Amino acid sequence: MNMILLDDTEVWLIDVLENYTEEARQRALSILDAARETETGCKVTDTAAPRKVRFRGRQMTAYRFVFCILTNTVAGYDQVVRHRCHNRQCINPEHLEIGSRADNKRDDWERMANGVDYDFL
């Protein structure tokens, strides 16, 4: 028997996406609606650190919640939601993508070397 082991975040996201889709989607959209759009297209919240959201007994960063819910993505502990804009306050799903921790580190090195080209977002 081939059994895939899931971490608790993956189990939670699967449950939310299967059983609470509309409620989660409305919550994600309300978070986006409350955000302020910057000149670079980032949607940011007025918090000093990345905003957190609590939904169905779990707390996570708003950008991770918004991305996973609106793209129907189950992201486990080993996967990160990367900011293509390099703005950790940004919750715009068009600026976010899933990747590994190594991908995220390479993004940091690329940004330090070349900056951010907002035309590619």
Side-chain angles (χ1 to χ4, degrees), residues 18-68:
E18 287 179 357
N19 300 307
Y20 306 100
T21 307
E22 193 52 38
E23 182 184 351
R25 188 168 167 68
Q26 290 306 313
R27 181 70 181 276
L29 291 172
S30 73
I31 294 167
L32 273 174
D33 286 344
R36 173 179 50 84
E37 187 164 348
T38 69
E39 63 280 352
T40 59
C42 291
K43 294 187 181 239
V44 296
T45 60
D46 292 328
T47 55
R51 180 181 171 181
K52 303 273 185 175
V53 62
R54 180 169 290 282
F55 186 79
R56 295 266 163 203
R58 173 146 326 229
Q59 179 175 296
M60 65 176 50
T61 56
Y63 64 82
R64 186 176 183 90
F65 179 79
V66 167
F67 177 80
C68 289

Side-chain angles (χ1 to χ4, degrees), residues 42-119:
C42 291
K43 294 187 181 239
V44 296
T45 60
D46 292 328
T47 55
R51 180 181 171 181
K52 303 273 185 175
V53 62
R54 180 169 290 282
F55 186 79
R56 295 266 163 203
R58 173 146 326 229
Q59 179 175 296
M60 65 176 50
T61 56
Y63 64 82
R64 186 176 183 90
F65 179 79
V66 167
F67 177 80
C68 289
I69 298 304
L70 295 182
T71 63
N72 205 32
T73 300
V74 176
Y77 173 79
D78 291 334
Q79 296 173 304
V80 296
V81 175
R82 299 159 54 198
H83 288 85
R84 293 175 37 223
C85 57
H86 298 285
N87 180 351
R88 290 203 59 211
Q89 301 293 100
C90 181
I91 60 172
N92 183 346
E94 293 176 7
H95 288 194
L96 306 171
E97 63 185 17
I98 200 80
S100 68
R101 294 180 191 285
D103 292 332
N104 206 35
K105 189 46 126 177
R106 281 190 291 276
D107 289 346
D108 288 343
W109 293 334
E110 177 71 24
R111 180 185 55 81
M112 285 188 280
N114 302 312
V116 177
D117 187 346
Y118 291 98
D119 293 334

